[in-house]
Amino acid sequence: MSPAMTDASFALTLALLLLAPLAIAGVALINTGLGRSRSAAQSLLGSLAILAVAAIVFAILGAAFTGNLPGTAGGAGHSFQLAGKSWNWLGAAPFLLGGLGAAPAQSQLALLFEFLAVALVGLLPWGSGADRLRLTAGCAIAAVIAAFVFPLTAHWIWTGGWLAQLGLNFSLGQGFLDGGGAATVHLLGGLSALAVIWIAGPRRGKFPKEGLATAMPGHNAVYVVFGCLLALVGWLAWNVAGAVLWLHAPLAALPVTAINTLLSASAAVVATFAVTRFRFGKPDASLCANGWLAGLVASSACAGIVTPAAALFVGLVAGVATPLLVELCELALSIDDPSGAITVHAAGGLWGLIATGIFAPQPGQLVAQLVGIATLLGFVFPLVYGLFALLNRFVPFRADADGERIGMDLHELGGGAYPEFVIHRDDSYR
């Protein structure tokens, strides 16, 4: 049972959650900037539509399975007994947000946090499918995530599910810890992005010959870097609010959470700057932006737990790994991920969760983190892939070849994002 929330904590957390959508706006702008100019309007409109669809579906169906309402932030759920332990596997709450107004303040704030989280999860596969993913497919993917996948994961981790109970049942630290959504948002979103990429395939012309990759740089580095600055504000709010809601941190501990978030991102971007400067002779703007985001993602797991020195180390590792993983995905694995969701959100979230276990003072915490990671990789990812593969049969993910050639703006919206400019030349395909 979580401690009662004071009026000061309630007011602060509500204010932070009203700033948290800036992280969503930042990610949407980054996704747009990293795609082609001929698909920019579809990308941003899709982000808005995905947010709306995810919120509606989560309100109608998904929120019932997280178990926030009624009760406290560790709400009711369906459980079974195994080996003398209670395993809480699915939330049980009214559909259509029944009883929301009468619920405790902390439950209402937790639900608002989850609304924002499920919207951000939906944006990650959308960005990875840029320039070939149909708008209706992006919305359908978001609906599946909001209805089933995210509520299941959120209940297990945040609202009293079996992963959160690992500490109580097996003395593994405090149970699986994920204060800012490194697992529930970023690792889940990154794995969803990987499933979409595998199903939809790469953009035409990206891999003309085996072992080779054609450079398709993002069309607007200004969008990308400005999106990083927007994301910082949202991430600070998100991590601090998560520390209050999920880690039950006292008010005196919250400035450290914010400082750790900034330090992790700062160390990451400096590390990526240095790596790209060394490898290519000049720093790469898009890779540095991805490094910055990877540091923010890693901080989502550990900002409320580690020391500032540890936060610097976490960011440093994330920043060094990001450009190397981008090359690995493109050149070795032939994965076409324009937004970098796999290297930034999946890998960054994974590293942050492991770092939480390494630096947490409680014995057994690393084992709890590894159990949660294994669950996401071994159960949730196959579930996501299976659901998306089935969905693709009814709502085809990929646009036709002509749509890719002329751009998703003209193909799906009937007009370009930049009508006064010549925005692209015709690509030559194999």
Side-chain angles (χ1 to χ4, degrees):
M1 184 73 69
S2 59
M5 175 172 277
T6 64
D7 290 343
S9 294
F10 175 84
L12 174 63
T13 307
L14 178 60
L16 290 168
L17 290 178
L18 296 179
L19 288 174
L22 288 174
I24 299 173
V27 170
L29 201 56
I30 291 167
N31 286 348
T32 300
L34 289 173
R36 312 298 295 275
S37 60
R38 67 188 72 176
S39 302
Q42 188 240 21
S43 176
L44 269 180
L45 177 61
S47 298
L48 192 62
I50 284 168
L51 189 157
V53 168
I56 292 170
V57 173
F58 187 68
I60 294 172
L61 184 62
F65 300 137
T66 63
N68 274 322
L69 304 172
T72 64
H78 298 286
S79 302
F80 62 90
Q81 296 293 319
L82 181 64
K85 307 292 185 181
S86 176
W87 298 76
N88 192 326
W89 64 278
L90 187 65
F95 294 106
L96 281 172
L97 305 181
L100 175 60
Q106 186 163 348
S107 295
Q108 297 187 39
L109 290 176
L111 192 62
L112 176 57
F113 191 104
E114 289 166 352
F115 266 101
L116 300 175
V118 75
L120 183 52
V121 175
L123 289 189
L124 303 187
W126 176 245
S128 292
D131 303 319
R132 75 270 201 203
L133 193 63
R134 296 168 59 240
L135 184 55
T136 52
C139 292
I141 288 167
V144 170
I145 291 172
F148 305 109
V149 183
F150 174 81
L152 187 67
T153 309
H155 179 70
W156 288 353
I157 296 172
W158 281 338
T159 57
W162 69 274
L163 286 175
Q165 294 175 338
L166 289 175
L168 179 64
N169 287 337
F170 300 100
S171 299
L172 296 178
Q174 299 183 52
F176 186 78
L177 294 178
D178 183 23
T184 315
V185 177
H186 301 289
L187 183 52
L188 174 60
L191 294 176
S192 300
L194 178 58
V196 166
I197 290 170
W198 278 351
I199 292 169
R203 290 171 289 180
R204 294 181 182 274
K206 179 63 179 178
F207 302 109
K209 295 181 180 179
E210 187 174 351
L212 296 177
T214 301
M216 292 183 173
H219 83 280
N220 197 319
V222 175
Y223 284 4
V224 176
V225 178
F226 182 64
C228 288
L229 296 175
L230 279 181
L232 172 63
V233 180
W235 240 278
L236 289 168
W238 208 305
N239 283 355
V240 174
V244 175
L245 289 171
W246 312 124
L247 304 179
H248 315 302
L251 293 180
L254 301 185
V256 177
T257 300
I259 290 170
N260 286 346
T261 302
L262 178 60
L263 289 177
S264 180
S266 300
V269 74
V270 168
T272 304
F273 186 100
V275 169
T276 56
R277 175 71 171 81
F278 175 77
R279 287 180 63 82
F280 309 125
K282 295 180 180 180
D284 184 276
S286 64
L287 287 177
C288 287
N290 276 345
W292 172 265
L293 273 187
L296 290 175
V297 170
S299 77
S300 296
C302 60
I305 297 168
V306 303
T307 64
L312 282 170
F313 176 76
V314 169
L316 180 68
V317 172
V320 170
T322 296
L324 304 180
L325 289 174
V326 168
E327 288 191 44
L328 175 67
C329 285
E330 281 205 1
L331 302 181
L333 303 178
S334 296
I335 292 174
D336 182 16
D337 181 10
S339 69
I342 297 168
T343 55
V344 171
H345 297 274
L350 190 67
W351 162 236
L353 294 167
I354 294 172
T356 298
I358 293 173
F359 293 108
Q362 299 85 7
Q365 190 62 56
L366 178 58
V367 177
Q369 299 301 106
L370 294 177
V371 170
I373 291 170
T375 301
L376 285 163
L377 296 179
F379 177 78
V380 176
F381 177 55
L383 173 65
V384 168
Y385 185 86
L387 289 173
F388 286 0
L390 179 63
L391 179 65
N392 184 48
R393 292 180 175 271
F394 299 95
V395 185
F397 285 6
R398 186 167 187 140
D400 57 37
D402 188 60
E404 288 188 67
R405 183 185 63 81
I406 66 174
M408 301 304 289
D409 286 354
L410 288 174
H411 181 62
E412 294 210 305
L413 305 181
Y418 309 103
E420 296 181 1
F421 303 96
V422 176
I423 57 175
H424 63 80
R425 60 178 176 81
D426 286 337
D427 286 330
S428 58
Y429 298 122
R430 199 171 41 159

